Amino acid sequence: MHYSALVTLSCLLGFGAAQTIKGQFDCLPAGGFTLCQNLWGISAGVGSQSSTLVNSTSQTVAWSTNYTWANGPNNVKSYANVESVSSKGVQLANIASAPTSWNWNYATQSTGIRADVAYDIWFGKASSGNPATSASSFEIMIWLSGLGGIQPVGSQITTGTVVAGHTWNLWKGPNGNWEVLSFVSATGDLNSFDVDLNDFFTYLIEEQGVASTQFVQSIQAGTEAFVGTANLVTSSYSVSIVPK
Ligand SMILES: *[C@@H]1O[C@H](CO)[C@@H](O)[C@H](O)[C@H]1NC(C)=O
Ligand SMILES: *[C@@H]1O[C@H](CO)[C@@H](O)[C@H](O)[C@H]1NC(C)=O
């Protein structure tokens, strides 16, 4: 994690002012969350991105991100996201529920945009571990939107699977040392999403062979931008894990 922009920003801006980060790996504390730019794939294209914390509490966060990316239409440039500070470290078998709510919209959006709006949830054998590392066993994505014909990692393994009251196409494939399972909305954009993530976890255990001994290591919610120009606004987001 790169917190280099943090001290400067909190000195310059008073409490309550929106804070904007611009650097490739800049992050900001955001109440019960951490807002990160995570422009991990920018070498595949040209452009820029900034992300703004609008407001936050320990329970909820509002934020937005602006980007313009070109070239490498099949390459992800970034995953600007908020990660819950506390919703992690619980074994799947010990989760009673994991309520989440996400209200988002594109305030502006270019034609031909290629981007998703998605949860990125990381499981591993140990109670803690950073996303996309040797500690990761599974990456669970939930795509609330996928524009421009982009596809998740791997290949589609189910069609019209109903989980948590919504209909999904499930994709599966390996990435590094972990397995990626991606639920892609089969009914278009889900702008007001209010579900129990444990419904997905239970489905993965019962239908996809994920061991209930796996731990949730991280829950992130953000947008993978491939190409295009957009201002994506999250007016409210929350997530928590209620243990048994
Ligand atoms: C983001 O884009 C919107 C729409 O173009 C604009 O109003 C806003 O000022 C931009 N925010 C930042 C921080 O650049
Ligand atoms: C936070 O910002 C969002 C989006 O602008 C707004 O809807 C909400 O009322 C704000 N919350 C607080 C506590 O100011």
Side-chain angles (χ1 to χ4, degrees), residues 155-159 161 169-173 181 203 207-208:
S155 54
Q156 191 178 334
I157 60 166
T158 78
T159 299
T161 300
N169 299 326
L170 184 62
W171 291 64
K172 184 180 183 182
L181 286 147
Y203 169 84
E207 305 293 336
Q208 298 300 334

Side-chain angles (χ1 to χ4, degrees), residues 54-55 62 234-235:
V54 178
N55 61 47
T234 289
S235 55

Side-chain angles (χ1 to χ4, degrees), residues 58-100:
S58 61
Q59 303 296 321
T60 183
V61 59
W63 66 287
S64 66
T65 192
N66 280 9
Y67 61 80
T68 297
W69 295 112
N71 299 351
N74 294 318
N75 294 99
V76 175
K77 308 304 183 299
S78 59
Y79 182 60
N81 72 88
V82 285
E83 178 175 6
S84 171
V85 171
S86 57
S87 298
K88 55 172 138 182
V90 184
Q91 205 163 33
L92 296 179
N94 288 328
I95 296 176
S97 67
T100 185

Side-chain angles (χ1 to χ4, degrees), residues 137-155:
S137 302
F138 292 95
E139 176 181 11
I140 311 302
M141 296 200 79
I142 304 171
W143 287 30
L144 307 187
S145 173
L147 300 180
I150 56 171
Q151 293 181 343
V153 167
S155 54

